[in-house]
Each structure stands twice: as structure tokens, then as C-alpha cells.
Amino acid sequence: MLHTTQLYQHVPETRWPIVYSPRYNITFMGLEKLHPFDAGKWGKVINFLKEEKLLCDSMLVEAREASDEDLLVVHTRRYLNELKGNGHERDFMGDRRVYIMDVYNRHIYPGDRFAKQAIRRKVELDWGVEDDEYLDKVEANIKKALQEHLPDVVVYNAGTDILEGDRLGGLSVSPGGIVKRDELVFRAVRGCQVPILMVTSGGYQKRTARIIADSILNLYGLGLIGPESPSVSAQNSDTPLLPLAAP
């Protein structure tokens, strides 16, 4: 059965490869202020970047919500029905086309032992790991992962729950360490001429929005992200894409 979608859209070269929608920010009569998760952090990231004169609304790519009909263009109904809290690991179990590398606090993640088998490169950390150890392991393992499996595209889950003080993550990486981590990943992937899709993912403190914005500013300053240059076609572009929301 053929399915149609309205998600595809032409993105002018004047726009940044940053996907955002105000609907990402969750509000409910002010009650969201009582929750430890900053439900409005993505809007704050955008505002910080506007304050730094990096972008304006006309430079953003507006996100569109995917309906079931849209998803069925590329997925089967069975696949959508079987999605599960570690879905990407279960769904790609045994699929050698997909290489999953994961860096995590081994004492709290992943609770799904079966799903853990799908992680091809497990980088397990102990409680309270700080910048030096964390960054050394990320840099060494991303290089090894790219040597073992050179992908067509990298989906980079750039969570900030590794930040010091995050009670769920249990690690002690500084704001500067998070900025450096993103830089290391982008340098490694772009050095292999591979497109990268970065999602901002988890992070459960109010200050994470500023850190994400600082990381984007750093990547831009280093020439690792930015509007697509006229010499690169849309079909073959390796311009990074940054959806500012959790997957």
C-alpha cells in the first residue's frame, strides 16, 4: 500500500539546519515550574541564540508533527506498534546496518538487559565521573566506532543529564565538559565526511538550556555547523542538522 506525506519541504540556503517548534515547550497552568525537568528549555536555547545575534526566526526550520500516515511511508505498522523507554536498541537488535555506541552510568542504565545486547560499543562509567575521564573515553571510543563501522549518517543523542548535580544521571561533568564533548563528536564525524544529526535529548536541570546554547555557539565558531554553503547540493550535503528537542 502506498502512503503519502506532507513532511518533505524545501529548505532555503538562507536557513540554518536547526529544527524547532514552539510546541516543544510544555506548559500546564504553571505547574511545569514545579517539575525538575525544564519543559521549556528548547525555547530558552533559541532565545539565548537570538540574544547572541546568531539567528532569528526566519533562519529556523519549523518542525512538523509526523502523523501515522507519514511514519508509514518509511516504517511498517508492526514496527510502529512494537516501539518501546529503549526502542531504538530493541528495534535494531540484530540489524548489522546499525551501529549503536552508548556512553552511560552503568549503575543506572540501561535497565533493559535484553536491549543492552544491541549496543555494539558499550562505554560504561561509574558514579561521579568527571571531565577528564569522560572526555578521554568519548574521544577514544568515537574514533574506534567510526573505524569499525563508517556510517552513512550519525544520529548523535547529545544529552545533558551527565551534568554535575543531575540526580538522574549521576555523573559530574562540567558545563565546559559538555561543550567540549559535542566538539569532539562533531570533529570526529565531520572529519570522516559523514552527515550528523544532533538531538538535545535529556537533561534535568534549569541551566542546561544555556549550556546547549553555548555548545551551538562553540560549534558555529569552529566552523562545524552553519548554513549550507552554495557549493554543496541539498542531496549530498553533510551539513549537520540540530533538532532542538528530545527524540
Side-chain angles (χ1 to χ4, degrees), residues 54-80:
L54 186 68
L55 51 78
C56 60
D57 287 335
S58 63
M59 299 166 66
L60 297 171
V61 178
E62 175 94 20
R64 298 179 181 178
E65 184 175 359
S67 66
D68 282 353
E69 190 72 11
D70 293 318
L71 296 174
L72 287 169
V73 172
V74 291
H75 298 299
T76 64
R77 174 66 67 183
R78 178 180 178 183
Y79 170 84
L80 296 178

Side-chain angles (χ1 to χ4, degrees), residues 101-105 119 121-125 137-138 141:
M101 169 179 156
D102 210 339
V103 186
Y104 53 87
N105 181 340
I119 304 174
R121 179 162 289 274
K122 304 175 183 67
V123 185
E124 300 191 325
L125 306 173
K137 289 186 174 180
V138 168
N141 282 279

Side-chain angles (χ1 to χ4, degrees), residues 40-141:
K41 75 174 183 179
W42 296 287
K44 292 176 183 176
V45 172
I46 293 298
N47 288 335
F48 284 136
L49 296 177
K50 288 179 180 178
E51 290 172 4
E52 297 288 344
K53 309 300 183 186
L54 186 68
L55 51 78
C56 60
D57 287 335
S58 63
M59 299 166 66
L60 297 171
V61 178
E62 175 94 20
R64 298 179 181 178
E65 184 175 359
S67 66
D68 282 353
E69 190 72 11
D70 293 318
L71 296 174
L72 287 169
V73 172
V74 291
H75 298 299
T76 64
R77 174 66 67 183
R78 178 180 178 183
Y79 170 84
L80 296 178
N81 290 339
E82 291 180 350
L83 288 176
K84 300 181 179 179
N86 288 319
H88 69 289
E89 291 166 355
R90 282 180 169 265
D91 293 330
F92 294 120
M93 185 73 68
D95 189 336
R96 304 304 291 178
R97 299 171 301 173
V98 178
Y99 185 106
I100 298 175
M101 169 179 156
D102 210 339
V103 186
Y104 53 87
N105 181 340
R106 67 185 181 89
H107 299 288
I108 61 171
Y109 180 89
D112 188 335
R113 298 294 179 181
F114 177 74
K116 185 176 180 179
Q117 299 175 55
I119 304 174
R120 302 264 288 277
R121 179 162 289 274
K122 304 175 183 67
V123 185
E124 300 191 325
L125 306 173
D126 287 310
W127 295 107
V129 164
E130 299 180 353
D131 289 19
D132 288 345
E133 180 181 351
Y134 179 82
L135 293 173
D136 285 347
K137 289 186 174 180
V138 168
E139 184 172 24
N141 282 279

Side-chain angles (χ1 to χ4, degrees), residues 96-99 120 144-152:
R96 304 304 291 178
R97 299 171 301 173
V98 178
Y99 185 106
R120 302 264 288 277
K144 291 178 181 177
L146 289 168
Q147 290 170 355
E148 291 176 5
H149 185 99
L150 188 62
D152 296 317

Side-chain angles (χ1 to χ4, degrees), residues 2-13:
L2 295 178
H3 297 273
T4 60
T5 179
Q6 302 298 317
L7 289 182
Y8 297 114
Q9 58 179 308
H10 172 69
V11 179
E13 293 178 352

